[in-house]
Amino acid sequence: MPKMKTKSGAKKRFRLTATGLVRGQQAGKRHGMIKRTTKFIRNARGTTILSEPDAKIVKKFLPYG
């Protein structure tokens, strides 16, 4: 059997933690910053753990972790 391919876009955007959770960038920071509160912008820095439904989709794209 041939190996399964990893989705190139997913491997650039997501990483799996040691416990199997999916880590990704915070959403909502591409444009429209002037209407966002300072608190929202501050809390949306860095990375976050994806929700379970989203993580389920991403894990299909990363078959080997």
Side-chain angles (χ1 to χ4, degrees):
M1 283 294 294
K3 293 180 181 178
M4 292 173 66
K5 286 196 174 182
T6 300
K7 292 283 186 181
S8 296
K11 72 183 174 187
K12 294 169 191 173
R13 289 172 173 85
F14 304 104
R15 279 190 0 212
L16 291 181
T17 63
T19 56
L21 300 175
V22 181
R23 181 178 293 279
Q25 292 293 323
Q26 291 276 10
K29 289 198 68 181
R30 291 294 181 187
H31 57 82
M33 289 296 103
I34 201 149
K35 66 179 79 169
R36 312 256 194 256
T37 62
T38 308
K39 182 179 178 182
F40 175 91
I41 295 170
R42 187 172 59 246
N43 289 339
R45 282 186 197 143
T47 58
T48 186
I49 302 296
L50 265 62
S51 64
E52 196 54 44
D54 292 334
K56 192 175 175 184
I57 296 166
V58 172
K59 281 184 180 179
K60 288 180 185 173
F61 298 152
L62 303 169
Y64 300 108

